[in-house]
Amino acid sequence: MPDKNPNLVFLIDDDSFLLDMYALKFKECGINVEAISDPQAALEKIRKGAAPDVIIVDIIMPNMTGFDFLEALQKENLLPNTRRIVLSNQGQQEDIDKATKLGAAGYIIKASAIPSEVCDKVLAICNRK
């Protein structure tokens, strides 16, 4: 089966600079991105029927953490087939384990990957069986 890019990615991060930078890089990689600065807003869109192929979420955000967001998706059984990827500067093993328990298919540490590498890693995670 050939690799295929996701049709739509929700990128959730409260840092507008990073949000813009990653959104631009994903678009350069041919990926349609919706940049969302508030996980609560992303959750509302999903509850109203938005169905991204991939959700990339930061962990540390002011109103709702990425963990809370992933937990809400899991509890409400929202988008069970959507790939969830954490993109965070939190790289402790317990954070990675917690994200995995909450359904994350991948965990990328911001500080250890330039935006083009993040793009490549996301595509690799999407194309894993």
Side-chain angles (χ1 to χ4, degrees), residues 22 26 54-59 84-91 96 99 104-126 128:
Y22 285 119
F26 280 110
V54 178
I55 296 170
I56 302 170
V57 64
D58 186 20
I59 295 296
R84 297 147 198 208
I85 300 170
V86 171
L87 177 62
S88 176
N89 274 321
Q90 303 301 305
I96 296 168
Y107 198 106
I108 303 168
I109 298 166
K110 289 177 188 174
S112 67
I114 61 171
S116 59
E117 290 172 328
V118 170
C119 203
D120 293 343
K121 287 179 182 192
V122 166
L123 290 174
I125 291 165
C126 290
R128 271 198 317 236

Side-chain angles (χ1 to χ4, degrees), residues 6-129:
N7 294 321
L8 178 61
V9 172
F10 272 13
L11 180 60
I12 308 164
D13 195 320
D14 63 309
D15 182 323
S16 60
F17 173 77
L18 288 177
L19 205 55
D20 291 346
M21 180 182 67
Y22 285 119
L24 183 67
K25 186 45 78 178
F26 280 110
K27 285 175 184 154
E28 285 173 7
C29 292
I31 300 170
N32 186 16
V33 173
E34 187 168 337
I36 306 168
S37 60
D38 176 19
Q40 201 71 53
L43 209 47
E44 284 311 309
K45 285 176 187 250
I46 292 164
R47 286 179 180 138
K48 289 179 180 153
D53 301 293
V54 178
I55 296 170
I56 302 170
V57 64
D58 186 20
I59 295 296
I60 308 297
M61 292 181 281
N63 302 323
M64 174 186 230
T65 70
F67 289 137
D68 294 337
F69 174 80
L70 291 171
E71 213 166 276
L73 289 181
Q74 205 172 48
K75 270 193 192 135
E76 297 176 43
N77 198 27
L78 296 167
L79 306 174
N81 299 320
T82 295
R83 297 267 184 182
R84 297 147 198 208
I85 300 170
V86 171
L87 177 62
S88 176
N89 274 321
Q90 303 301 305
Q92 293 82 3
Q93 190 59 49
E94 65 260 23
D95 291 330
I96 296 168
D97 293 344
K98 184 173 183 180
T100 304
K101 279 194 188 90
L102 292 171
Y107 198 106
I108 303 168
I109 298 166
K110 289 177 188 174
S112 67
I114 61 171
S116 59
E117 290 172 328
V118 170
C119 203
D120 293 343
K121 287 179 182 192
V122 166
L123 290 174
I125 291 165
C126 290
N127 288 299
R128 271 198 317 236
K129 302 291 168 261

